[in-house]
Amino acid sequence: MENEKTFEPPFTHNQFCLMPMQAFFEPYYIERENDWQCIYWKDSQAFTITGMFELNPHFNDPIHTFTLLTHNADNEVFAHKGSQP
């Protein structure tokens, strides 16, 4: 990831963050159509996911943008239908 041009500015400037959330949505594919599933803790407790941020100058008014850092879940038993094209 550190060698990809898209992530170079925040990676080289150590612009990492933790994003607090109580839930997020992931696609769950059924016969090539996705049905979005809400992922959350049973007790609704907040959790964090790592990310990177930067000031994006590609707009009329520069804005802060971020991306969540994840990994490919194709080989995960619990997520075998989550990342299909």
Side-chain angles (χ1 to χ4, degrees):
M1 177 179 72
E2 64 271 12
N3 295 326
E4 292 186 33
K5 188 174 183 177
T6 303
F7 299 119
E8 183 180 356
F11 194 88
T12 57
H13 293 99
N14 291 320
Q15 294 172 302
F16 299 101
C17 60
L18 293 173
M19 297 301 300
M21 58 184 69
Q22 290 182 298
F24 63 93
F25 290 88
E26 280 286 321
Y28 182 79
Y29 290 90
I30 301 172
E31 296 182 16
R32 300 204 49 88
E33 291 194 27
N34 64 354
D35 177 30
W36 290 88
Q37 300 290 312
C38 184
I39 311 297
Y40 58 94
W41 289 111
K42 287 182 184 179
D43 59 5
S44 299
Q45 288 293 312
F47 55 94
T48 58
I49 295 182
T50 58
M52 292 189 303
F53 68 93
E54 70 175 324
L55 183 63
N56 191 327
H58 298 108
F59 298 94
N60 291 337
D61 293 322
I63 60 172
H64 281 96
T65 59
F66 75 95
T67 186
L68 298 177
L69 300 177
T70 62
H71 76 280
N72 187 326
D74 285 347
N75 296 324
E76 302 288 343
V77 174
F78 66 88
H80 70 281
K81 293 188 180 232
S83 299
Q84 297 180 7

